Amino acid sequence: MDIDLRFEPVTANRWDDFERLFGPRGAFYDCWCVALRLPHAVRTKMGPGERKSHMQGRIAVGPPPGILAYADDEPVAWVQVGSRHDVPQFNSPRTVSRPVEERDAHDPSFWAVSCFFLKSDLRGQGLSHRLLAGAIDHARRHGARYLEGCPIDHVKQSRSVTLCTGSTAIFDAAGFETVARRKDGRPLMRLDLRS
């Protein structure tokens, strides 16, 4: 299926679209895409409404924490992409996604693409490649030098929820290179946007 996608930064005036895409369950199990923004101990004490409010507040203050993909003016996908420092848990020393150098977590030119969410009826159709391409374009246009991700090598099925971080195959196809491997099956990958 060939679907025309248009990408737009998630700003306060697009909150209704973000909310509609995420639905009543906040995308994955009431997450509202705060998993990499808040420590586990904080996040798990919050109710779904609090997580939703946190993300709404984050979007309201800007800069955009990601992009929405639209098909025929309908929001169909979200990609969390922005400066590494905007997703503190992506930088935690205990995670496989932690930066190669500690200073990279604070360098505004180091960006992370850390979460993908696609409407369930569109999963398994290869659209993840296009979502990653949209994230790359967004990062490049906003001055990022490097874009990093920490995808998953293998999953049992292409529609798995665990693919919210993306699959290694789509990062490979986009030209990312592995810069660290702290856990089997979870490479930290980087794309140099200056080339």
Side-chain angles (χ1 to χ4, degrees):
M1 180 189 295
D2 191 26
I3 300 171
D4 287 330
L5 294 179
R6 181 182 98 249
F7 295 96
E8 299 289 349
V10 179
T11 54
N13 64 331
R14 293 190 184 278
W15 169 257
D16 290 346
D17 292 344
F18 183 83
E19 184 180 28
R20 187 163 72 247
L21 172 65
F22 273 43
R25 293 302 314 265
F28 301 119
Y29 309 109
D30 296 316
C31 178
W32 287 99
C33 219
V34 299
L36 293 173
R37 298 181 175 283
L38 300 169
H40 180 77
V42 172
R43 180 175 81 246
T44 55
K45 290 180 182 173
M46 298 170 81
E50 292 173 294
R51 290 188 204 114
K52 179 179 178 179
S53 292
H54 180 84
M55 193 59 174
Q56 186 174 16
R58 169 59 193 84
I59 289 170
V61 300
I67 55 176
L68 285 172
Y70 291 83
D72 297 325
D73 293 324
E74 180 68 21
V76 297
W78 146 260
V79 183
Q80 183 164 257
V81 56
S83 294
R84 250 185 175 277
H85 65 77
D86 190 43
V87 281
Q89 298 309 298
F90 196 76
N91 301 312
S92 170
R94 296 185 302 272
T95 66
V96 294
S97 58
R98 66 188 178 272
V100 174
E101 300 287 337
E102 188 177 336
R103 67 179 179 264
D104 299 348
H106 310 287
D107 183 336
S109 69
F110 274 80
W111 279 38
V113 55
S114 52
C115 190
F116 296 84
F117 179 70
L118 183 65
K119 283 180 65 174
S120 60
D121 60 332
L122 296 178
R123 294 180 197 149
Q125 299 179 35
L127 292 177
S128 295
H129 292 273
R130 292 170 59 195
L131 297 180
L132 182 56
I136 292 167
D137 183 57
H138 177 76
R140 185 175 277 131
R141 283 187 292 109
H142 289 86
R145 283 188 308 152
Y146 301 104
L147 183 59
E148 296 185 335
C150 193
I152 295 173
D153 277 351
H154 303 289
V155 293
K156 292 180 182 176
Q157 55 180 334
S158 63
R159 293 173 181 253
S160 173
V161 168
T162 60
L163 274 178
C164 62
T165 59
S167 74
T168 304
I170 67 167
F171 283 79
D172 278 335
F176 283 71
E177 296 182 356
T178 298
V179 291
R181 189 178 292 269
R182 283 93 176 220
K183 179 180 177 184
D184 191 38
R186 291 298 308 276
L188 177 64
M189 302 182 78
R190 179 186 294 169
L191 181 65
D192 187 337
L193 298 174
R194 299 171 302 176
S195 54

